Amino acid sequence: MDKFFTSESVTEGHPDKLCDLISDAVLDAVLEKDPAGRVACECAATRGMVLVTGEISTDNYVDIAGIARKTIEEAGYNSPAAGFDGRTCAVLTAIDEQSPDIALGVTGSMEVKNGSDDSFDLLGAGDQGMVFGYACNETEELMPMPIMLAHELAYTLTKARKSGKLPFLLPDGKTQVTVRYGADGKPNGIDTVVISAQHMQGYEHSYVQEAIYEEVFRKVVNPNNLGDRANWRRPHSLDDIKVLINPTGRFTIGGPTADAGLTGRKIIVDTYGGYARHGGGAFSGKDPTKVDRSAAYMARYIAKNLVFARFAEKCEVQIAYAIGVAQPVSVRVDTFGTGALDDDKIADIVNQLFDMRPSAIIAKLDLRRPIYKNTAAYGHFGNVARLNNRPWEQTDRYRALRDMIPRG
């Protein structure tokens, strides 16, 4: 019997995602001048106003209001027609320094206090908590099919707006994809696609629907490319797919004017679309000493290398930390019955091959760079924008992993 799974994505003009972009733009600005800067930047947006708050520790000046305005304009909110304008909206800032109690544990880990002289023990985890990383062989990106298609649609929707192909589009938008899975657990077709796109007033609903269908839906979902992107049979016809475009009939009011936005409220969009578990924290606005972000990237890196090395068809990695302690308190691997070895043996191999202390993660993935604004939209994993600044998407450890599989 077929089963169904649905994931959604949002464009960079979505009010929550706009806040993620601003938070990560501020983080990038700090890291560009001070790679050791500590940042936990939150943002809220509503009609005519943006509030940037949180904790930032750096000796360098950063024009937070200017960064916020530039980011808002780049997202497409640069005229009254969009209902929100980065040039005229109010930008409020309320920034403090990192708590000295937190800094005490981060700068000097428990291991250092106990006499360790290992340089990778210098940095303790910035907080307690657990993170998850996931990979599967459903797509060439080793990501679940529903979230990858949703991201592709959202990204293509934005490209159509920015390129001028669909000049009536405005920045806010959402996509959703329901994939049908067969009895073998593998995707075998798309059931439903939903696209909601903000648009200018004065355009007929039927015109908006037809234009988005041709320039967005057909560019991503068509019989000629689906078979190349996934290990599934090609659908016989696009008529088999239910397509809902702006199903309310009109979407002219959007962005922070329609709904308040907040950093970190799209964590499922940011990760695996609900297909895998999520840890306790969001990513955007956090420097890499926060394991909510850096260790989640490491967990994805580990899971992707395991699947690429054919240790499993799908794999979830959990890493847990205690604040101020460098070494993880636990590492867990779940291959959902698809592993080449028992999960506990794979976990032992992971512990041997991957250093999951915060300093080691930062060094391995080169995370003290201004690379984060480009991660904020269209998913932190899978890389639909084809950017070359996501080292956690590399599969450079697969040979070392394969060497660990017992022979004979």
Side-chain angles (χ1 to χ4, degrees):
M1 181 178 178
D2 287 344
K3 296 182 179 180
F4 301 86
F5 196 89
T6 302
S7 294
E8 72 162 354
S9 184
V10 299
T11 66
E12 57 208 58
H14 184 280
D16 293 328
K17 192 48 62 182
L18 182 66
C19 291
D20 288 340
L21 282 162
I22 294 170
S23 294
D24 274 335
V26 172
L27 170 61
D28 280 356
V30 172
L31 294 179
E32 187 172 14
K33 295 181 178 180
D34 179 10
R38 301 280 173 82
V39 180
C41 180
E42 312 286 344
C43 181
T46 187
R47 182 187 297 263
M49 187 192 81
V50 168
L51 170 66
V52 184
T53 186
E55 298 79 44
I56 297 177
S57 297
T58 181
D59 293 330
N60 294 276
Y61 171 74
V62 174
D63 180 9
I64 293 174
I67 292 166
R69 293 188 187 281
K70 181 180 179 183
T71 303
I72 294 166
E73 290 185 55
E74 289 175 347
Y77 293 111
N78 52 17
S79 71
F84 194 75
D85 193 338
R87 299 170 299 179
T88 59
C89 69
V91 179
L92 308 179
T93 60
I95 302 294
D96 205 346
E97 291 188 337
Q98 185 180 61
S99 161
D101 291 350
I102 296 175
L104 182 68
V106 176
T107 305
S109 71
M110 183 187 73
E111 288 87 343
V112 169
K113 293 181 177 72
N114 289 336
S116 172
D117 60 358
D118 189 324
S119 62
F120 282 158
D121 280 336
L122 292 175
L123 194 68
D127 200 354
Q128 71 175 47
M130 72 290 186
V131 300
F132 290 93
Y134 183 80
C136 62
N137 63 3
E138 290 183 12
T139 63
E140 63 184 3
E141 300 92 350
L142 302 186
M143 286 283 287
M145 173 59 72
I147 189 63
M148 285 309 301
L149 284 174
H151 285 327
E152 291 274 9
L153 287 165
Y155 184 64
T156 303
L157 186 66
T158 297
K159 285 199 301 181
R161 172 178 63 84
K162 290 186 173 182
S163 69
K165 287 185 176 180
L166 299 182
F168 59 85
L169 288 179
L170 292 172
D172 198 356
K174 301 178 76 171
T175 62
Q176 183 175 285
V177 177
T178 301
V179 171
R180 183 175 61 250
Y181 287 79
D184 58 358
K186 298 183 183 300
N188 63 18
I190 299 172
D191 184 78
T192 306
V193 169
V194 182
I195 303 174
S196 296
Q198 185 190 11
H199 60 89
M200 296 177 184
Q201 295 186 23
Y203 287 83
E204 292 290 335
H205 181 52
S206 58
Y207 174 79
V208 171
Q209 284 184 310
E210 183 178 351
I212 293 174
Y213 184 91
E214 292 298 327
E215 287 296 332
V216 179
F217 174 78
R218 287 292 301 269
K219 293 291 176 65
V220 176
V221 182
N222 68 72
N224 293 324
N225 70 9
L226 285 178
D228 297 331
R229 295 191 69 254
N231 301 319
W232 64 358
R233 64 171 176 80
R234 300 182 181 187
H236 296 299
S237 170
L238 292 181
D239 294 336
D240 297 334
I241 303 171
K242 296 186 285 290
V243 183
L244 303 173
I245 298 174
N246 282 11
T248 65
R250 184 180 64 204
F251 185 4
T252 59
I253 302 172
T257 300
D259 293 294
L262 190 65
T263 298
R265 203 155 56 182
K266 282 289 175 282
I267 56 177
I268 301 304
V269 171
D270 290 342
T271 52
Y272 308 100
Y275 202 91
R277 282 167 280 205
H278 191 286
F283 299 158
S284 289
K286 296 179 180 178
D287 75 77
T289 67
K290 281 74 171 175
V291 290
D292 281 345
R293 179 170 223 158
S294 55
Y297 291 172
M298 189 63 171
R300 161 65 177 170
Y301 173 68
I302 295 169
K304 187 171 184 179
N305 274 270
L306 285 168
V307 172
F308 193 79
R310 299 184 180 177
F311 264 65
E313 294 182 11
K314 52 185 174 180
C315 177
E316 184 179 74
V317 175
Q318 184 198 47
I319 314 172
Y321 292 88
I323 188 170
V325 180
Q327 287 286 358
V329 299
S330 72
V331 177
R332 179 179 181 271
V333 174
D334 188 347
T335 62
F336 308 95
T338 69
L341 303 172
D342 291 340
D343 288 349
D344 56 349
K345 293 181 180 178
I346 298 176
D348 288 341
I349 291 171
V350 166
N351 277 301
Q352 292 177 54
L353 288 185
F354 298 92
D355 193 334
M356 289 164 277
R357 291 174 293 177
S359 285
I361 294 172
I362 291 169
K364 170 61 183 174
L365 301 181
D366 195 12
L367 296 180
R368 292 196 186 276
R369 298 177 291 146
I371 60 173
Y372 297 103
K373 183 181 175 185
N374 285 332
T375 68
Y378 316 111
H380 292 246
F381 311 122
N383 199 10
V384 298
R386 309 294 186 262
L387 300 171
N388 294 320
N389 62 349
R390 298 187 180 190
W392 52 89
E393 291 296 312
Q394 295 176 0
T395 52
D396 55 337
R397 298 292 284 164
Y398 80 95
R399 288 190 177 89
L401 282 165
R402 285 180 179 173
D403 288 343
M404 302 291 286
I405 298 178
R407 306 298 177 186

